[in-house]
Amino acid sequence: MSAEFGKPLCEIDVLGEIEPEDETALGSVTEQAGSPSTPQQPQKVAQQHQTRPDETNKSSVVPKAPSTRGHSALATPAVRGLLKDLKIDITEVTGTGKDGRVLKEDVQNHASSHSSKSASSLSLTPSQSSSNASQTESIISLTPIQSQMFKTMTRSLSIPHLLYTDDLNITPLSSLRHQLNTHPSIPNQPKISYLPFIIKAVSLALDSYPVLNARIDTDTDASRPRLIMRSAHNIGIAMDTPQGLIVPNIKNVNSLSILDIASEIKRLQSLALTSKLTPLDLTGGTITVSNIGSIGGTYVAPVIVGSEVAILGIGKKRVVPAFDDEGEIVKRESMNFSWSADHRVVDGATMARCAEMVREFVERPERMVMRLK
C-alpha cells in the first residue's frame, strides 16, 4: 500500500485534544457500560455488596441510561471550529470516528448533503410552477400598414443585396448646421437637421450615377428585363409613426434647395403623425434614405423595395477620437452610411463611386454648395 504525496499517513486521536466535557461524558459512559472480558477486582466486588444499614430503607435509584448523545458530541477543537463556521449543531451530525466521535469528513458530508437538498428544493419550485403554466395564444390581424410591409418585404427577398458601408466625418457639416440654425436667413426658418443636407447630397450624386435612380421592369417581358431610367429624384424618407413604418417621398429633390427639403420633411412628418398622408405622398419614390440613427444603432443593412434599386441607411452620430493632418488627436463627429443596392443591375464599383461622391459632399459641404442650382 503506497501513500499519496501531500496526504496524511494516518490520523491520531490525542486525549488531550478532547474538550473537558467530552472527556467526562466518555468516562461516565465507559464506567456504566463496563467490560465483560475484564474480571472485576475482589475489593471492588466486596465494596459493591457492602451496604450500610441506613441505606437499606432508602428507595433504590435507577441508573440513567447512557446517552448516545455523549458519543456524537465528541469532536476535536478543530472540528468544533469547523462546525461553528458552518453554523451546524454537532448533535445533528452522525459521527463515524472512535466511540462515535465526529470527524471533519462527517461535518463536510453533512454540509454538502444539506446544501444539495436545499438547492434541489429551490430548483423544483420555479420548474414546477412553469410546468403548470399554460401557454396562451391569441390571433391578431395585421394592420393595413403591416400587411403592405409584409407584401413589400416578401418581394424584396428575391433581390440580391449588395452592401456597402463607410464612416463619414460630419464635423464640418455639424458646424455649418449650427451656424444656420443660430443665425436663420429667413423668417420662421425651420430647424435644419442633418437629413436635408444628406438628401441633397444623394440627389447631386444621382446626377452622375442615374442608374441608382432607376427601376427594373420585368412585367413587359420577364425573359428580357429592362431598366427604366427616371429623371426626377423622388427620395423617400422612412418614418416611424404610431401606425407603423411608412415611407413618404419628397418629390423633385433635384430642383429643391436645402431649406425647401427641410420644410418638406417637416410637412410630411406632421401629416404622418396625424395619419393624413395622401397616396401622392406615399407613391412614386425612386430611392430611399432611412435615418435609423435617430432612434439608435450605428450600423444597419437596409432592405431595398421592389420599385427601387438602392437605399441608404444612416446610423447615429458618434463622437470619436481621430488624427488631424498634423497627427494630433482631435475630437471628431462621425456617422455611418450603409448602402444596399440591387446587385442584378448595380455592380460594386458603381455603388462605391456613388457613395464616395456623397461622402465628399457631406464631409465638405462647401463643395455641395457649388453644385446647387
Side-chain angles (χ1 to χ4, degrees):
M1 178 177 179
S2 60
E4 298 183 12
F5 181 76
K7 299 293 184 177
L9 296 176
C10 63
E11 292 184 356
I12 301 176
D13 296 329
V14 181
L15 185 59
E17 295 181 353
I18 303 177
E19 297 290 339
E21 62 269 26
D22 295 337
E23 185 176 0
T24 303
L26 180 60
S28 61
V29 172
T30 307
E31 291 176 0
Q32 293 175 10
S35 176
S37 60
T38 304
Q40 295 181 346
Q41 297 294 332
Q43 182 180 357
K44 292 184 179 181
V45 174
Q47 292 176 354
Q48 291 177 358
H49 287 283
Q50 292 179 356
T51 305
R52 290 191 293 179
D54 56 349
E55 294 179 350
T56 56
N57 296 329
K58 291 184 178 181
S59 58
S60 60
V61 179
V62 179
K64 186 177 180 181
S67 173
T68 57
R69 180 170 178 173
H71 287 289
S72 62
L74 296 177
T76 62
V79 174
R80 288 185 179 275
L82 180 61
L83 288 165
K84 184 177 180 181
D85 293 339
L86 298 177
K87 297 180 180 180
I88 298 176
D89 187 355
I90 191 172
T91 60
E92 298 177 357
V93 183
T94 303
T96 60
K98 182 180 179 181
D99 297 326
R101 182 177 300 174
V102 177
L103 306 178
K104 181 176 69 174
E105 291 78 7
D106 301 330
V107 179
Q108 293 174 342
N109 293 335
H110 177 83
S112 61
S113 175
H114 183 71
S115 60
S116 62
K117 289 180 181 179
S118 301
S120 62
S121 62
L122 291 175
S123 61
L124 288 175
T125 303
S127 62
Q128 289 175 352
S129 60
S130 60
S131 62
N132 295 333
S134 59
Q135 176 68 277
T136 302
E137 295 183 352
S138 58
I139 300 176
I140 299 178
S141 300
L142 296 179
T143 64
I145 292 180
Q146 287 176 327
S147 299
Q148 183 62 35
M149 184 170 61
F150 180 86
K151 296 176 183 178
T152 302
M153 293 296 102
T154 301
R155 290 193 297 267
S156 297
L157 291 176
S158 61
I159 301 175
H161 283 55
L162 166 67
L163 181 64
Y164 180 91
T165 182
D166 196 8
D167 287 321
L168 278 65
N169 175 19
I170 63 169
T171 305
L173 179 60
S174 178
S175 177
L176 174 62
R177 171 179 168 269
H178 176 73
Q179 294 177 14
L180 294 175
N181 288 329
T182 305
H183 304 90
S185 58
I186 60 174
N188 300 323
Q189 174 183 305
K191 184 178 180 180
I192 303 176
S193 65
Y194 295 101
L195 192 56
F197 294 96
I198 296 172
I199 290 176
K200 190 60 181 181
V202 171
S203 177
L204 293 175
L206 291 177
D207 290 336
S208 301
Y209 300 96
V211 65
L212 295 175
N213 197 56
R215 68 178 179 88
I216 301 177
D217 176 25
T218 57
D219 297 332
T220 304
D221 187 354
S223 61
R224 300 184 63 183
R226 303 178 300 174
L227 273 177
I228 306 299
M229 309 301 292
R230 297 179 284 196
S231 59
H233 302 164
N234 300 337
I235 300 181
I237 47 175
M239 292 184 178
D240 179 41
T241 69
Q243 294 76 31
L245 176 67
I246 57 175
V247 188
N249 60 84
I250 304 173
K251 300 292 193 295
N252 298 309
V253 175
N254 42 334
S255 62
L256 299 179
S257 66
I258 293 177
L259 282 177
D260 294 335
I261 298 172
S263 299
E264 187 66 7
I265 292 175
K266 183 178 179 180
R267 182 188 74 85
L268 292 174
Q269 287 176 336
S270 300
L271 294 176
L273 292 175
T274 57
S275 302
K276 294 181 179 180
L277 288 170
T278 65
L280 181 62
D281 296 324
L282 296 169
T283 57
T286 59
I287 190 173
T288 299
V289 175
S290 175
N291 187 19
I292 192 65
S294 60
I295 300 176
T298 304
Y299 307 99
V300 62
V303 180
I304 307 168
V305 298
S307 59
E308 301 173 4
V309 297
I311 182 174
L312 169 62
I314 306 172
K316 66 180 180 181
K317 183 186 73 172
R318 297 170 296 145
V319 178
V320 298
F323 291 100
D324 60 11
D325 295 337
E326 288 74 28
E328 299 293 332
I329 297 179
V330 296
K331 183 173 65 174
R332 174 177 295 175
E333 296 182 50
S334 178
M335 187 177 290
N336 179 265
F337 279 23
S338 299
W339 295 83
S340 288
D342 190 335
H343 212 356
R344 295 175 298 179
V345 294
V346 180
D347 57 75
T350 301
M351 182 71 262
R353 292 189 183 99
C354 180
E356 280 297 301
M357 181 172 287
V358 173
R359 184 183 63 80
E360 281 288 323
F361 291 143
V362 172
E363 291 188 343
R364 300 181 179 181
E366 68 277 4
R367 294 192 176 186
M368 179 167 50
V369 174
M370 297 297 296
R371 297 280 297 269
L372 296 179
K373 297 179 181 179

